[in-house]
Amino acid sequence: MNDCIFCKIAAGTIPARKLFEDEAILAFHDATPQAPVHFLLIPRKHIPNILELGPEDEGLLERLLNKARELAVEQGCGEGGARFVINCKADGGQSVDHLHVHVLGGRALGWPPG
Ligand code: 5GP
Ligand code: ZN
């Protein structure tokens, strides 16, 4: 997807502060952090949102969430905890239409969301 900002980050044509990458997924710091720890995990493949995962994507969510967990601990959230969020489409507050997992931590977060 040519005009997708996260595809461009995955391709390396837009810079990002990367935490991890392999052949299938990528993790990088959010450009507008909402907490002391705030990073994103994406698949390299352009999948618009979680509702559009298909059978061919089996294992991808588990891979994203396992790496999210590992990196959350690495980033210092092992004791205090963190929030793992996937926003989806308009009602879910998604602003970038490329599936991504947010990890937020380093402070107490409110609930429920507004
Ligand atoms: P959403 O609202 O779609 O769940 O989250 C999109 C996230 O992507 C936002 O937290 C936003 O700050 C982040 N973001 C948008 N554009 C960029 C960018 O170019 N680089 C990085 N690192 N984060 C971005
Ligand atoms: Zn994309």
Side-chain angles (χ1 to χ4, degrees), residues 5-6 9 14-17 28-34 38 40 85-88 92-98 100 102:
I5 199 156
F6 286 177
I9 287 175
I14 285 183
R17 291 170 55 219
F28 52 90
H29 291 283
D30 197 291
T32 311
Q34 302 300 315
H38 186 180
L40 305 172
V85 175
I86 300 176
N87 295 325
C88 179
Q94 184 176 8
S95 62
V96 177
D97 291 332
H98 181 129
H100 52 282
H102 291 259

Side-chain angles (χ1 to χ4, degrees), residues 1 4 6-7 46 98:
M1 254 233 165
C4 171
F6 286 177
C7 281
H46 182 84
H98 181 129

Side-chain angles (χ1 to χ4, degrees), residues 22-105:
D22 66 13
E23 77 287 359
I25 67 172
L26 198 74
F28 52 90
H29 291 283
D30 197 291
T32 311
Q34 302 300 315
V37 174
H38 186 180
F39 60 92
L40 305 172
L41 298 100
I42 64 170
R44 286 191 183 278
K45 178 182 173 186
H46 182 84
I47 300 166
N49 59 63
I50 191 171
L51 296 180
E52 296 192 42
L53 279 165
E56 69 279 13
D57 303 312
E58 195 186 337
L60 188 55
L61 267 186
E62 186 179 8
R63 203 156 163 170
L64 287 166
L65 288 175
N66 270 325
K67 187 51 69 176
R69 175 181 54 75
E70 276 178 34
L71 290 174
V73 172
E74 266 183 44
Q75 293 293 304
C77 300
E79 199 163 318
R83 185 164 297 164
F84 300 76
V85 175
I86 300 176
N87 295 325
C88 179
K89 301 181 80 171
D91 284 355
Q94 184 176 8
S95 62
V96 177
D97 291 332
H98 181 129
L99 173 63
H100 52 282
V101 179
H102 291 259
V103 179
L104 298 114

